[in-house]
Amino acid sequence: MEALVLFALLIGLLLVGVPVAIALLLSGAVSLLASGIPVNILAERMLGGINSYTLMAVPFFIAAAVIMNRSGVTRHILDFAYCLIGHRRGGTGHVNVLGSLFFSGMSGSATADVASQGRMLIPRMMKEGYDAPFSAGITAAASIITSIIPPSIVMIIYGAITNTSIGGLFFAGIVPGFMLFTALIGLVFVQAKRRDYPHGERLNWSQTWPVFLKALPALLAPILILGGIRFGITTPTEAGVVAAVYAIALGILVYREFSIWNLGEILQEAAVATAVPMFIIASSAIFGFALSISGFGFVVGDFMKDVTTNPIVFMLIALAFITVVGLFLESTSALLIFIPLFAPLATAYGVPDIQFGILMIIALMMGTLTPPVGLQSFIASDIAGISILRIDIWGAILCILLISLLVIFVPWITMYLPSTFI
């Protein structure tokens, strides 16, 4: 009963327009104070929720994403992607997807990807004759590759709250990420044929080579980050520091898009961007504590045991549940509230923690696409100047669901690389 009141209070606050972090904090605090929990415990829980060495990676990767956007990295990557694939029918749509694949190895943030690439590519696509819903939809869908292929901020948060190996999650996301890339390239190909979208100019090697050299320093970032983790040179947190320092070096020494005197302004932007997810994490610690006090976890566990003893069925139910939650709740909040309930159950069912982690991350990121509250779709549709309800996203959603089912039924997809390299 307490859990129902807690969720009702949260939903009521969200419906009247209270920001997610504030709604989580208020609903959790009211429930705990009504249960007689001392108010100082609330402050301790909020501080404890963000007092993590692992979570220190989050501000560094966000800083790296902000710096790379300001240093011209996105532009050079998209130019190189155009040289490789822009000549095909629907070329700019293909460039959109390939650019996200390249960008994924550097920023770890789907929001940074859709904001930076969207401002460059959505107006360009619409000018070339692509319809606005498709331009926004493929940009939003491609952006979540950034959260599945490492380094990924959502993987860092997932690993921090479930004690799952972040290095293992990083390597486990590579194959599903490339599968999503392939599926979206196929989707663009089919839609371009059906709708007769334009193709770009084919460039020869002499034209491509200088563009490649310009983009090469940025393309080396994933090797630097994953190589450091693979060979034990850096932890994932230290890799975030390496990514931020490397981004500064690119901006100042290689591309010369800003000077050291601009760093204060850029780091201030990164601090503001970091404050939002960290506040959500702190607020979710209060809500999650209230949920645990209510006994909701035991209810979920007993329900699952009554429904099935099959780990495949359990993963299918978890996928369906998180997919539905993603329709109404922001992904970070959903991760922090519900994953601590499902992760121990996955272990009890014998599901490898890395396989389950990648499945849940894919499901959570799918929630950032689905209207009415999908963040990536909202940003892309806003750039395109259309309602989020008009965005052409459902073909991509089908692709993501199929990949999720493959992750469930073919464990090799997520387990081969971690078992080989970690």
Side-chain angles (χ1 to χ4, degrees):
M1 183 63 182
E2 289 181 19
L4 291 176
V5 173
L6 182 61
F7 280 114
L9 184 56
L10 173 64
I11 293 169
L13 289 170
L14 292 174
L15 288 176
V16 297
V18 176
V20 171
I22 302 295
L24 289 167
L25 177 59
L26 288 177
S27 56
V30 168
S31 176
L32 289 171
L33 293 174
S35 301
I37 301 295
V39 68
N40 63 301
I41 298 296
L42 305 185
E44 291 177 8
R45 285 285 169 173
M46 288 189 73
L47 181 61
I50 58 176
N51 185 22
S52 165
Y53 173 76
T54 303
L55 287 177
M56 285 178 62
V58 174
F60 287 113
F61 278 115
I62 289 176
V66 171
I67 294 165
M68 286 179 182
N69 282 337
R70 294 286 291 269
S71 65
V73 166
T74 304
R75 185 178 69 254
H76 292 301
I77 284 177
L78 292 178
D79 288 344
F80 179 55
Y82 186 86
C83 291
L84 294 179
I85 204 169
H87 61 276
R88 301 179 63 178
R89 181 165 297 282
T92 308
H94 291 296
V95 168
N96 203 327
V97 180
L98 183 58
S100 290
L101 179 68
F102 288 153
F103 199 66
S104 66
M106 290 172 280
S107 78
S109 169
T111 303
D113 181 285
V114 72
S116 58
Q117 289 200 178
R119 290 191 185 99
M120 294 183 183
L121 289 179
I122 291 176
R124 176 174 170 177
M125 291 178 70
M126 293 168 61
K127 186 176 180 180
E128 291 179 0
Y130 297 79
D131 58 275
F134 178 79
S135 302
I138 197 62
T139 304
S143 72
I144 73 167
I145 297 174
T146 312
S147 293
I148 299 173
I149 289 181
S152 163
I153 291 173
V154 70
M155 287 182 184
I156 294 168
I157 297 173
Y158 186 99
I161 66 172
T162 62
N163 292 318
T164 303
S165 165
I166 295 173
L169 289 170
F170 276 7
F171 280 93
I174 293 174
V175 174
F178 272 91
M179 290 171 63
L180 178 57
F181 162 74
T182 304
L184 293 179
I185 285 288
L187 179 64
V188 173
F189 177 81
V190 171
Q191 295 288 49
K193 287 285 188 182
R194 288 179 55 198
R195 303 179 185 182
D196 195 29
Y197 287 147
H199 56 79
E201 176 187 358
R202 183 185 293 272
L203 302 179
N204 58 40
W205 181 243
S206 64
Q207 294 170 298
T208 302
W209 179 248
V211 179
F212 168 70
L213 291 179
K214 274 280 190 181
L216 181 59
L219 296 174
L220 291 176
I223 299 173
L224 188 68
I225 295 168
L226 289 180
I229 296 171
R230 165 64 181 87
F231 294 106
I233 301 171
T234 62
T235 65
T237 300
E238 292 164 346
V241 179
V242 171
V245 172
Y246 187 67
I248 292 172
L250 288 180
I252 295 177
L253 302 177
V254 179
Y255 298 128
R256 300 183 179 182
E257 296 278 343
F258 60 84
S259 72
I260 194 169
W261 307 112
N262 302 121
L263 273 181
E265 174 192 348
I266 293 171
L267 293 178
Q268 181 181 7
E269 182 182 345
V272 172
T274 301
V276 175
M278 298 306 285
F279 186 30
I280 292 174
I281 291 171
S283 299
S284 295
I286 297 291
F287 189 90
F289 182 51
L291 207 56
S292 65
I293 292 293
S294 73
F296 184 70
F298 295 107
V299 173
V300 172
D302 292 341
F303 172 77
M304 294 301 302
K305 290 174 185 176
D306 290 340
V307 170
T308 183
T309 57
N310 188 309
I312 298 292
V313 176
F314 163 74
M315 285 191 283
L316 290 170
I317 293 173
L319 172 63
F321 181 85
I322 295 298
T323 300
V324 173
V325 166
L327 294 171
F328 308 102
L329 195 61
E330 189 270 336
S331 61
T332 304
S333 304
L335 166 62
L336 294 163
I337 293 169
F338 295 107
I339 296 305
L341 301 177
F342 279 103
L345 291 175
T347 302
Y349 275 93
V351 179
D353 56 353
I354 289 176
Q355 179 190 8
F356 187 72
I358 296 299
L359 175 66
M360 292 294 94
I361 287 167
I362 293 173
L364 288 162
M365 295 316 298
M366 182 168 59
T368 69
L369 301 180
T370 49
V373 296
L375 178 60
Q376 319 314 341
S377 290
F378 180 83
I379 294 171
S381 60
D382 184 61
I383 294 171
I386 60 172
S387 164
I388 190 175
L389 299 178
R390 289 188 56 211
I391 193 168
D392 186 357
I393 204 70
W394 300 109
I397 295 294
L398 179 60
C399 293
I400 297 167
L401 283 173
L402 291 174
I403 291 169
S404 300
L405 293 175
L406 287 172
V407 167
I408 292 174
F409 288 101
V410 188
W412 173 91
I413 291 172
T414 51
M415 297 308 297
Y416 176 74
L417 290 182
S419 64
T420 302
F421 292 103
I422 298 297

